[in-house]
Amino acid sequence: DAGVTQSPTHLIKTRGQQVTLRCSPISGHKSVSWYQQVLGQGPQFIFQYYEKEERGRGNFPDRFSARQFPNYSSELNVNALLLGDSALYLCASSWGVTISGNTIYFGEGSWLTVV
Amino acid sequence: QKEVEQNSGPLSVPEGAIASLNCTYSDRGSQSFFWYRQYSGKSPELIMSIYSNGDKEDGRFTAQLNKASQYVSLLIRDSQPSDSATYLCAVNTNAGKSTFGDGTTLTVKP
């Protein structure tokens, strides 16, 4: 079975531009979460979606938005990019949102560099 | 105070030794706990999950949880050079959101 797939794997953007990152969860998983990982730090929670509804939002500015589609895939959008947005963006999927079903599995990530 | 704290590291052990990685968390409502391994330039990979107080063993890995002390640890027995990586502790305080520590970098020397 395919794991969590993300695209693109690497991208370079200029300050002020917008970026869209895409994610397909593990087959059968209905929840998708997005994390930002800056070098030397652990992943920071951005969003969680379950059954197309936002279930959680981390401490990120409104420039960050996301959505989940009927097939459970998801997009993360970041507007007005800043140099500090340079990071590894991780998508994670889980079966559900119950305690027993919320183990998250990460994709390979999208490396974003803002210049 | 960070919600999840790990040994600052780096931690270096000789091949064949036991590596001990520690993690404390601040939210007493936390219910599920995870250890991930992250190789340089790669995404985190789930190693262990633990939900109840006590020990949970999987091969060379043992996770230990003490909710009263708000402490979770990972022991790696017979450490191998391939175990050299950053180990991330994650805690779920409410379903769906995992809060991560900043990781401990482990080096296993041949």
Side-chain angles (χ1 to χ4, degrees):
Chain A
D1 283 345
V4 179
T5 58
Q6 292 187 242
S7 63
T9 54
H10 294 81
L11 66 166
I12 300 173
K13 291 285 188 177
T14 304
R15 278 179 296 175
Q17 284 188 317
Q18 176 263 344
V19 67
T20 298
L21 308 177
R22 297 177 176 81
C23 172
S24 293
I26 294 170
S27 178
H29 284 193
K30 299 181 178 181
S31 176
V32 169
S33 302
W34 288 94
Y35 290 79
Q36 180 197 65
Q37 187 175 24
V38 174
L39 194 64
Q41 298 181 16
Q44 298 293 312
F45 174 75
I46 309 175
F47 286 109
Q48 190 215 11
Y49 278 79
Y50 177 71
E51 291 281 14
K52 302 184 293 290
E53 292 189 0
E54 182 182 303
R55 293 294 295 262
R57 173 185 286 254
N59 187 24
F60 281 80
D62 292 343
R63 299 184 295 107
F64 289 77
S65 63
R67 56 180 174 168
Q68 186 177 33
F69 299 99
N71 65 354
Y72 303 111
S73 67
S74 177
E75 286 183 353
L76 175 70
N77 294 283
V78 187
N79 295 320
L81 285 167
L82 303 174
L83 295 179
D85 294 331
S86 296
L88 174 64
Y89 287 85
L90 294 161
C91 175
S93 79
S94 62
W95 180 83
V97 293
T98 60
I99 296 302
S100 61
N102 66 4
T103 302
I104 63 172
Y105 300 88
F106 287 102
E108 290 303 309
S110 293
W111 290 92
L112 171 65
T113 301
V114 182
V115 297
Chain B
Q1 181 188 6
K2 298 195 70 173
E3 293 181 61
V4 178
E5 299 206 45
Q6 299 184 237
N7 319 47
S8 57
L11 176 65
S12 180
V13 301
E15 184 174 355
I18 295 175
S20 177
L21 304 165
N22 303 313
C23 173
T24 58
Y25 59 94
S26 60
D27 190 331
R28 286 193 171 275
S30 303
Q31 297 191 31
S32 44
F33 308 85
F34 307 88
W35 284 99
Y36 289 82
R37 176 175 63 199
Q38 187 172 28
Y39 293 112
S40 181
K42 299 295 185 180
S43 64
E45 170 193 13
L46 179 68
I47 300 175
M48 297 277 288
S49 60
I50 186 166
Y51 302 96
S52 305
N53 281 329
D55 294 357
K56 179 181 178 183
E57 187 174 319
D58 183 0
R60 296 186 295 111
F61 298 95
T62 299
Q64 300 174 316
L65 175 61
N66 183 326
K67 290 185 178 181
S69 300
Q70 296 174 249
Y71 174 90
V72 58
S73 67
L74 180 70
L75 299 177
I76 306 175
R77 291 182 300 281
D78 188 25
S79 296
Q80 301 298 308
S82 59
D83 294 327
S84 297
T86 297
Y87 289 81
L88 297 165
C89 171
V91 174
N92 282 23
T93 51
N94 51 43
K97 172 190 173 183
S98 291
T99 302
F100 286 80
D102 286 336
T104 299
T105 298
L106 171 66
T107 300
V108 180
K109 295 186 175 181

